[in-house]
Amino acid sequence: MTIELSRRAFLQTAGAGLAGTTLGAFGFGEVEAAHAAAIRPFKLVNTTETRNTCTYCAVACGIILYSKGDLKKGEHAEITHIEGDSDHPTNRGTLCPKGAALLSTVKSESRLTHPRVRKPGSNSFEPISWDEALDKIARVLKDDRDKNFIAKNDAGVTVNRWITTGMLAASATTNEASFATYKVMRSTGMLPFDNQARV
């Protein structure tokens, strides 16, 4: 392979190399090292990136959660940073002030992390497990449906209505999850059903 190099290009390349080595010999290399050491490392290095949806309102902006700690190794994953998802079609990386403050919400000491129940006659809430909470909700819904289900109207037409209980669905869910929720509630005969996105 033949490389054509003019005398001018050769002198320019040799001069640049000579200037670089001269500066290094005068001790300017330590300045560069000190400058590099003073720069704070990128805070999202070695974090796990998880895409999610902001929980505040019906807009359903996309967010990215950054956490440290490998769950596969049994470590506790702690969320260290939350930002808008630039690939999300709703917000394209932007967040409102409430969404931008999600990290403080996650780390708030007053944030509920488990279900609680207030027993009849009590003036305080007690923590219960998720299994207990789901069983309690299912039992109350089943009892109410058994008591108030209307199979036929006065004319004898089958209507399968359950109008004493309603549901308000979450607006931040996907279309698929919303559709599944709608089908499950309607299959029980529940008529009062709405979505926070409309409210």
Side-chain angles (χ1 to χ4, degrees):
M1 177 169 87
T2 305
I3 299 176
E4 293 186 12
L5 185 64
S6 67
R7 186 172 30 175
R8 179 174 296 200
F10 173 76
L11 290 173
Q12 285 176 342
T13 305
L18 181 62
T21 54
T22 303
L23 289 174
F26 285 150
F28 288 107
E30 293 179 11
V31 172
E32 292 177 0
H35 177 67
I39 296 174
R40 189 179 73 155
F42 187 52
K43 68 179 178 180
L44 301 181
V45 171
N46 300 325
T47 58
T48 302
E49 184 179 306
T50 307
R51 282 179 161 70
N52 209 325
T53 305
C54 180
T55 57
Y56 268 111
C57 69
V59 177
C61 294
I63 57 174
I64 302 176
L65 309 169
Y66 294 92
S67 59
K68 285 198 172 184
D70 192 352
L71 293 175
K72 294 176 185 174
K73 295 179 181 176
E75 299 173 353
H76 174 71
E78 180 184 357
I79 297 174
T80 58
H81 181 69
I82 300 176
E83 65 184 30
D85 186 356
S86 58
D87 293 329
H88 198 277
T90 301
N91 59 319
R92 301 178 189 259
T94 61
L95 289 174
C96 73
K98 291 184 290 186
L102 276 173
L103 186 61
S104 61
T105 302
V106 169
K107 296 194 177 282
S108 172
E109 293 182 6
S110 63
R111 177 177 169 247
L112 293 179
T113 57
H114 53 268
R116 301 193 312 171
V117 65
R118 190 175 73 181
K119 293 180 178 175
S122 174
N123 62 355
S124 61
F125 285 90
E126 301 174 16
I128 59 173
S129 70
W130 283 104
D131 288 337
E132 288 177 289
L134 293 173
D135 287 345
K136 186 172 182 59
I137 293 168
R139 179 79 269 155
V140 169
L141 289 173
K142 175 79 167 76
D143 291 346
D144 184 70
R145 186 176 186 272
D146 289 345
K147 182 180 176 184
N148 299 298
F149 186 73
I150 302 168
K152 296 180 185 277
N153 64 10
D154 295 337
V157 178
T158 301
V159 291
N160 293 333
R161 291 182 188 146
W162 178 26
I163 59 173
T164 56
T165 298
M167 180 170 183
L168 180 64
S171 62
T173 56
T174 63
N175 286 341
E176 293 79 12
S178 296
F179 181 74
T181 304
Y182 179 84
K183 294 300 275 185
V184 168
M185 291 302 103
R186 288 293 190 238
S187 69
T188 65
M190 188 181 292
L191 292 184
F193 180 84
D194 210 337
N195 191 292
Q196 184 213 352
R198 191 194 68 78
V199 176

PDB file of all heavy atoms in Angstrom, residues 93-121:
ATOM      1  N   GLY A  93     -39.425  12.312  27.506  1.00  0.00           N
ATOM      2  CA  GLY A  93     -38.335  12.630  28.419  1.00  0.00           C
ATOM      3  C   GLY A  93     -38.621  13.750  29.397  1.00  0.00           C
ATOM      4  O   GLY A  93     -37.877  13.945  30.341  1.00  0.00           O
ATOM      5  N   THR A  94     -39.689  14.500  29.203  1.00  0.00           N
ATOM      6  CA  THR A  94     -39.993  15.607  30.121  1.00  0.00           C
ATOM      7  C   THR A  94     -40.838  15.096  31.287  1.00  0.00           C
ATOM      8  O   THR A  94     -41.542  14.093  31.163  1.00  0.00           O
ATOM      9  CB  THR A  94     -40.764  16.726  29.399  1.00  0.00           C
ATOM     10  OG1 THR A  94     -42.010  16.188  28.915  1.00  0.00           O
ATOM     11  CG2 THR A  94     -39.963  17.266  28.235  1.00  0.00           C
ATOM     12  N   LEU A  95     -40.762  15.805  32.405  1.00  0.00           N
ATOM     13  CA  LEU A  95     -41.583  15.483  33.561  1.00  0.00           C
ATOM     14  C   LEU A  95     -42.081  16.775  34.194  1.00  0.00           C
ATOM     15  O   LEU A  95     -41.377  17.785  34.182  1.00  0.00           O
ATOM     16  CB  LEU A  95     -40.788  14.690  34.608  1.00  0.00           C
ATOM     17  CG  LEU A  95     -40.432  13.246  34.265  1.00  0.00           C
ATOM     18  CD1 LEU A  95     -39.532  12.655  35.347  1.00  0.00           C
ATOM     19  CD2 LEU A  95     -41.671  12.394  34.094  1.00  0.00           C
ATOM     20  N   CYS A  96     -43.276  16.739  34.743  1.00  0.00           N
ATOM     21  CA  CYS A  96     -43.792  17.887  35.487  1.00  0.00           C
ATOM     22  C   CYS A  96     -43.069  17.957  36.832  1.00  0.00           C
ATOM     23  O   CYS A  96     -42.327  17.039  37.185  1.00  0.00           O
ATOM     24  CB  CYS A  96     -45.302  17.752  35.672  1.00  0.00           C
ATOM     25  SG  CYS A  96     -45.765  16.494  36.881  1.00  0.00           S
ATOM     26  N   PRO A  97     -43.270  19.005  37.632  1.00  0.00           N
ATOM     27  CA  PRO A  97     -42.593  19.087  38.929  1.00  0.00           C
ATOM     28  C   PRO A  97     -42.875  17.896  39.850  1.00  0.00           C
ATOM     29  O   PRO A  97     -41.998  17.445  40.575  1.00  0.00           O
ATOM     30  CB  PRO A  97     -43.134  20.386  39.525  1.00  0.00           C
ATOM     31  CG  PRO A  97     -43.469  21.218  38.340  1.00  0.00           C
ATOM     32  CD  PRO A  97     -43.973  20.255  37.303  1.00  0.00           C
ATOM     33  N   LYS A  98     -44.110  17.374  39.809  1.00  0.00           N
ATOM     34  CA  LYS A  98     -44.426  16.224  40.666  1.00  0.00           C
ATOM     35  C   LYS A  98     -43.673  14.987  40.185  1.00  0.00           C
ATOM     36  O   LYS A  98     -43.140  14.222  40.990  1.00  0.00           O
ATOM     37  CB  LYS A  98     -45.929  15.957  40.660  1.00  0.00           C
ATOM     38  CG  LYS A  98     -46.725  17.036  41.359  1.00  0.00           C
ATOM     39  CD  LYS A  98     -48.194  16.701  41.413  1.00  0.00           C
ATOM     40  CE  LYS A  98     -48.810  16.798  40.035  1.00  0.00           C
ATOM     41  NZ  LYS A  98     -50.262  16.633  40.035  1.00  0.00           N
ATOM     42  N   GLY A  99     -43.633  14.787  38.877  1.00  0.00           N
ATOM     43  CA  GLY A  99     -42.898  13.648  38.341  1.00  0.00           C
ATOM     44  C   GLY A  99     -41.399  13.772  38.564  1.00  0.00           C
ATOM     45  O   GLY A  99     -40.711  12.788  38.817  1.00  0.00           O
ATOM     46  N   ALA A 100     -40.894  14.998  38.476  1.00  0.00           N
ATOM     47  CA  ALA A 100     -39.463  15.218  38.701  1.00  0.00           C
ATOM     48  C   ALA A 100     -39.082  14.967  40.152  1.00  0.00           C
ATOM     49  O   ALA A 100     -37.911  14.715  40.454  1.00  0.00           O
ATOM     50  CB  ALA A 100     -39.088  16.642  38.302  1.00  0.00           C
ATOM     51  N   ALA A 101     -40.053  15.026  41.067  1.00  0.00           N
ATOM     52  CA  ALA A 101     -39.781  14.800  42.494  1.00  0.00           C
ATOM     53  C   ALA A 101     -40.095  13.371  42.927  1.00  0.00           C
ATOM     54  O   ALA A 101     -40.203  13.099  44.121  1.00  0.00           O
ATOM     55  CB  ALA A 101     -40.599  15.782  43.325  1.00  0.00           C
ATOM     56  N   LEU A 102     -40.228  12.449  41.987  1.00  0.00           N
ATOM     57  CA  LEU A 102     -40.586  11.072  42.334  1.00  0.00           C
ATOM     58  C   LEU A 102     -39.580  10.413  43.267  1.00  0.00           C
ATOM     59  O   LEU A 102     -39.955   9.611  44.125  1.00  0.00           O
ATOM     60  CB  LEU A 102     -40.716  10.230  41.060  1.00  0.00           C
ATOM     61  CG  LEU A 102     -42.056  10.303  40.345  1.00  0.00           C
ATOM     62  CD1 LEU A 102     -41.988   9.575  39.013  1.00  0.00           C
ATOM     63  CD2 LEU A 102     -43.156   9.724  41.197  1.00  0.00           C
ATOM     64  N   LEU A 103     -38.304  10.731  43.123  1.00  0.00           N
ATOM     65  CA  LEU A 103     -37.296  10.097  43.971  1.00  0.00           C
ATOM     66  C   LEU A 103     -37.532  10.422  45.440  1.00  0.00           C
ATOM     67  O   LEU A 103     -37.414   9.555  46.305  1.00  0.00           O
ATOM     68  CB  LEU A 103     -35.885  10.519  43.547  1.00  0.00           C
ATOM     69  CG  LEU A 103     -34.746   9.811  44.279  1.00  0.00           C
ATOM     70  CD1 LEU A 103     -34.800   8.307  44.036  1.00  0.00           C
ATOM     71  CD2 LEU A 103     -33.402  10.362  43.847  1.00  0.00           C
ATOM     72  N   SER A 104     -37.912  11.667  45.729  1.00  0.00           N
ATOM     73  CA  SER A 104     -38.193  12.019  47.128  1.00  0.00           C
ATOM     74  C   SER A 104     -39.454  11.322  47.623  1.00  0.00           C
ATOM     75  O   SER A 104     -39.573  11.009  48.804  1.00  0.00           O
ATOM     76  CB  SER A 104     -38.315  13.535  47.287  1.00  0.00           C
ATOM     77  OG  SER A 104     -39.378  14.028  46.502  1.00  0.00           O
ATOM     78  N   THR A 105     -40.386  11.045  46.722  1.00  0.00           N
ATOM     79  CA  THR A 105     -41.585  10.299  47.109  1.00  0.00           C
ATOM     80  C   THR A 105     -41.228   8.858  47.445  1.00  0.00           C
ATOM     81  O   THR A 105     -41.697   8.302  48.444  1.00  0.00           O
ATOM     82  CB  THR A 105     -42.622  10.328  45.964  1.00  0.00           C
ATOM     83  OG1 THR A 105     -42.939  11.680  45.655  1.00  0.00           O
ATOM     84  CG2 THR A 105     -43.883   9.579  46.346  1.00  0.00           C
ATOM     85  N   VAL A 106     -40.379   8.268  46.618  1.00  0.00           N
ATOM     86  CA  VAL A 106     -39.959   6.881  46.843  1.00  0.00           C
ATOM     87  C   VAL A 106     -39.213   6.741  48.168  1.00  0.00           C
ATOM     88  O   VAL A 106     -39.392   5.783  48.908  1.00  0.00           O
ATOM     89  CB  VAL A 106     -39.075   6.389  45.676  1.00  0.00           C
ATOM     90  CG1 VAL A 106     -38.411   5.075  45.993  1.00  0.00           C
ATOM     91  CG2 VAL A 106     -39.912   6.268  44.408  1.00  0.00           C
ATOM     92  N   LYS A 107     -38.397   7.724  48.494  1.00  0.00           N
ATOM     93  CA  LYS A 107     -37.569   7.649  49.699  1.00  0.00           C
ATOM     94  C   LYS A 107     -38.233   8.268  50.931  1.00  0.00           C
ATOM     95  O   LYS A 107     -37.636   8.297  51.998  1.00  0.00           O
ATOM     96  CB  LYS A 107     -36.227   8.328  49.433  1.00  0.00           C
ATOM     97  CG  LYS A 107     -35.419   7.614  48.354  1.00  0.00           C
ATOM     98  CD  LYS A 107     -34.002   8.064  48.334  1.00  0.00           C
ATOM     99  CE  LYS A 107     -33.211   7.301  47.316  1.00  0.00           C
ATOM    100  NZ  LYS A 107     -32.847   5.971  47.758  1.00  0.00           N
ATOM    101  N   SER A 108     -39.462   8.740  50.794  1.00  0.00           N
ATOM    102  CA  SER A 108     -40.157   9.378  51.914  1.00  0.00           C
ATOM    103  C   SER A 108     -40.428   8.372  53.032  1.00  0.00           C
ATOM    104  O   SER A 108     -40.844   7.233  52.787  1.00  0.00           O
ATOM    105  CB  SER A 108     -41.482   9.975  51.435  1.00  0.00           C
ATOM    106  OG  SER A 108     -42.240  10.424  52.526  1.00  0.00           O
ATOM    107  N   GLU A 109     -40.212   8.794  54.265  1.00  0.00           N
ATOM    108  CA  GLU A 109     -40.459   7.923  55.410  1.00  0.00           C
ATOM    109  C   GLU A 109     -41.947   7.702  55.647  1.00  0.00           C
ATOM    110  O   GLU A 109     -42.345   6.711  56.272  1.00  0.00           O
ATOM    111  CB  GLU A 109     -39.816   8.521  56.663  1.00  0.00           C
ATOM    112  CG  GLU A 109     -38.303   8.530  56.607  1.00  0.00           C
ATOM    113  CD  GLU A 109     -37.691   9.082  57.881  1.00  0.00           C
ATOM    114  OE1 GLU A 109     -38.443   9.342  58.836  1.00  0.00           O
ATOM    115  OE2 GLU A 109     -36.457   9.246  57.896  1.00  0.00           O
ATOM    116  N   SER A 110     -42.796   8.598  55.152  1.00  0.00           N
ATOM    117  CA  SER A 110     -44.235   8.451  55.352  1.00  0.00           C
ATOM    118  C   SER A 110     -44.899   7.631  54.236  1.00  0.00           C
ATOM    119  O   SER A 110     -46.114   7.429  54.263  1.00  0.00           O
ATOM    120  CB  SER A 110     -44.897   9.830  55.432  1.00  0.00           C
ATOM    121  OG  SER A 110     -44.728  10.521  54.213  1.00  0.00           O
ATOM    122  N   ARG A 111     -44.123   7.154  53.280  1.00  0.00           N
ATOM    123  CA  ARG A 111     -44.668   6.373  52.165  1.00  0.00           C
ATOM    124  C   ARG A 111     -45.105   4.989  52.647  1.00  0.00           C
ATOM    125  O   ARG A 111     -44.376   4.309  53.362  1.00  0.00           O
ATOM    126  CB  ARG A 111     -43.603   6.223  51.080  1.00  0.00           C
ATOM    127  CG  ARG A 111     -44.041   5.382  49.922  1.00  0.00           C
ATOM    128  CD  ARG A 111     -42.942   5.350  48.869  1.00  0.00           C
ATOM    129  NE  ARG A 111     -43.247   4.339  47.893  1.00  0.00           N
ATOM    130  CZ  ARG A 111     -42.544   3.228  47.719  1.00  0.00           C
ATOM    131  NH1 ARG A 111     -41.466   3.015  48.443  1.00  0.00           N
ATOM    132  NH2 ARG A 111     -42.889   2.345  46.828  1.00  0.00           N
ATOM    133  N   LEU A 112     -46.313   4.584  52.268  1.00  0.00           N
ATOM    134  CA  LEU A 112     -46.801   3.253  52.641  1.00  0.00           C
ATOM    135  C   LEU A 112     -46.137   2.207  51.754  1.00  0.00           C
ATOM    136  O   LEU A 112     -46.124   2.338  50.537  1.00  0.00           O
ATOM    137  CB  LEU A 112     -48.315   3.178  52.484  1.00  0.00           C
ATOM    138  CG  LEU A 112     -49.143   4.031  53.437  1.00  0.00           C
ATOM    139  CD1 LEU A 112     -50.624   3.863  53.137  1.00  0.00           C
ATOM    140  CD2 LEU A 112     -48.848   3.681  54.873  1.00  0.00           C
ATOM    141  N   THR A 113     -45.617   1.163  52.368  1.00  0.00           N
ATOM    142  CA  THR A 113     -44.961   0.086  51.618  1.00  0.00           C
ATOM    143  C   THR A 113     -45.651  -1.255  51.796  1.00  0.00           C
ATOM    144  O   THR A 113     -45.215  -2.252  51.235  1.00  0.00           O
ATOM    145  CB  THR A 113     -43.486  -0.048  52.053  1.00  0.00           C
ATOM    146  OG1 THR A 113     -43.446  -0.273  53.467  1.00  0.00           O
ATOM    147  CG2 THR A 113     -42.699   1.214  51.700  1.00  0.00           C
ATOM    148  N   HIS A 114     -46.713  -1.288  52.592  1.00  0.00           N
ATOM    149  CA  HIS A 114     -47.469  -2.517  52.805  1.00  0.00           C
ATOM    150  C   HIS A 114     -48.916  -2.149  53.125  1.00  0.00           C
ATOM    151  O   HIS A 114     -49.199  -1.032  53.568  1.00  0.00           O
ATOM    152  CB  HIS A 114     -46.854  -3.353  53.943  1.00  0.00           C
ATOM    153  CG  HIS A 114     -46.674  -2.575  55.205  1.00  0.00           C
ATOM    154  ND1 HIS A 114     -45.509  -1.919  55.506  1.00  0.00           N
ATOM    155  CD2 HIS A 114     -47.521  -2.317  56.232  1.00  0.00           C
ATOM    156  CE1 HIS A 114     -45.639  -1.307  56.673  1.00  0.00           C
ATOM    157  NE2 HIS A 114     -46.846  -1.523  57.124  1.00  0.00           N
ATOM    158  N   PRO A 115     -49.851  -3.087  52.919  1.00  0.00           N
ATOM    159  CA  PRO A 115     -51.253  -2.781  53.202  1.00  0.00           C
ATOM    160  C   PRO A 115     -51.503  -2.631  54.703  1.00  0.00           C
ATOM    161  O   PRO A 115     -50.800  -3.233  55.517  1.00  0.00           O
ATOM    162  CB  PRO A 115     -52.017  -3.975  52.627  1.00  0.00           C
ATOM    163  CG  PRO A 115     -51.024  -4.994  52.275  1.00  0.00           C
ATOM    164  CD  PRO A 115     -49.671  -4.406  52.342  1.00  0.00           C
ATOM    165  N   ARG A 116     -52.482  -1.812  55.031  1.00  0.00           N
ATOM    166  CA  ARG A 116     -52.866  -1.630  56.436  1.00  0.00           C
ATOM    167  C   ARG A 116     -54.385  -1.711  56.541  1.00  0.00           C
ATOM    168  O   ARG A 116     -55.099  -1.415  55.587  1.00  0.00           O
ATOM    169  CB  ARG A 116     -52.374  -0.284  56.964  1.00  0.00           C
ATOM    170  CG  ARG A 116     -50.874  -0.148  56.873  1.00  0.00           C
ATOM    171  CD  ARG A 116     -50.310   1.008  57.638  1.00  0.00           C
ATOM    172  NE  ARG A 116     -50.997   2.265  57.429  1.00  0.00           N
ATOM    173  CZ  ARG A 116     -50.752   3.361  58.146  1.00  0.00           C
ATOM    174  NH1 ARG A 116     -49.848   3.345  59.083  1.00  0.00           N
ATOM    175  NH2 ARG A 116     -51.405   4.475  57.900  1.00  0.00           N
ATOM    176  N   VAL A 117     -54.854  -2.086  57.703  1.00  0.00           N
ATOM    177  CA  VAL A 117     -56.292  -2.214  57.931  1.00  0.00           C
ATOM    178  C   VAL A 117     -56.636  -1.601  59.288  1.00  0.00           C
ATOM    179  O   VAL A 117     -55.843  -1.672  60.223  1.00  0.00           O
ATOM    180  CB  VAL A 117     -56.736  -3.701  57.864  1.00  0.00           C
ATOM    181  CG1 VAL A 117     -56.126  -4.516  58.993  1.00  0.00           C
ATOM    182  CG2 VAL A 117     -58.252  -3.826  57.870  1.00  0.00           C
ATOM    183  N   ARG A 118     -57.808  -0.975  59.343  1.00  0.00           N
ATOM    184  CA  ARG A 118     -58.317  -0.473  60.621  1.00  0.00           C
ATOM    185  C   ARG A 118     -59.496  -1.345  61.016  1.00  0.00           C
ATOM    186  O   ARG A 118     -60.527  -1.352  60.345  1.00  0.00           O
ATOM    187  CB  ARG A 118     -58.742   0.980  60.509  1.00  0.00           C
ATOM    188  CG  ARG A 118     -59.054   1.589  61.864  1.00  0.00           C
ATOM    189  CD  ARG A 118     -59.346   3.050  61.764  1.00  0.00           C
ATOM    190  NE  ARG A 118     -60.669   3.245  61.159  1.00  0.00           N
ATOM    191  CZ  ARG A 118     -61.200   4.430  60.917  1.00  0.00           C
ATOM    192  NH1 ARG A 118     -60.521   5.523  61.180  1.00  0.00           N
ATOM    193  NH2 ARG A 118     -62.402   4.529  60.377  1.00  0.00           N
ATOM    194  N   LYS A 119     -59.333  -2.091  62.081  1.00  0.00           N
ATOM    195  CA  LYS A 119     -60.357  -3.026  62.523  1.00  0.00           C
ATOM    196  C   LYS A 119     -61.526  -2.256  63.138  1.00  0.00           C
ATOM    197  O   LYS A 119     -61.355  -1.144  63.637  1.00  0.00           O
ATOM    198  CB  LYS A 119     -59.757  -4.011  63.531  1.00  0.00           C
ATOM    199  CG  LYS A 119     -58.729  -4.918  62.893  1.00  0.00           C
ATOM    200  CD  LYS A 119     -58.145  -5.883  63.887  1.00  0.00           C
ATOM    201  CE  LYS A 119     -57.150  -6.793  63.168  1.00  0.00           C
ATOM    202  NZ  LYS A 119     -56.441  -7.679  64.095  1.00  0.00           N
ATOM    203  N   PRO A 120     -62.723  -2.851  63.126  1.00  0.00           N
ATOM    204  CA  PRO A 120     -63.898  -2.173  63.699  1.00  0.00           C
ATOM    205  C   PRO A 120     -63.667  -1.779  65.152  1.00  0.00           C
ATOM    206  O   PRO A 120     -63.177  -2.571  65.955  1.00  0.00           O
ATOM    207  CB  PRO A 120     -65.010  -3.231  63.591  1.00  0.00           C
ATOM    208  CG  PRO A 120     -64.573  -4.128  62.486  1.00  0.00           C
ATOM    209  CD  PRO A 120     -63.069  -4.140  62.542  1.00  0.00           C
ATOM    210  N   GLY A 121     -63.974  -0.524  65.474  1.00  0.00           N
ATOM    211  CA  GLY A 121     -63.815  -0.021  66.829  1.00  0.00           C
ATOM    212  C   GLY A 121     -62.431   0.514  67.130  1.00  0.00           C
ATOM    213  O   GLY A 121     -62.202   1.128  68.171  1.00  0.00           O
TER     214      GLY A 121
END
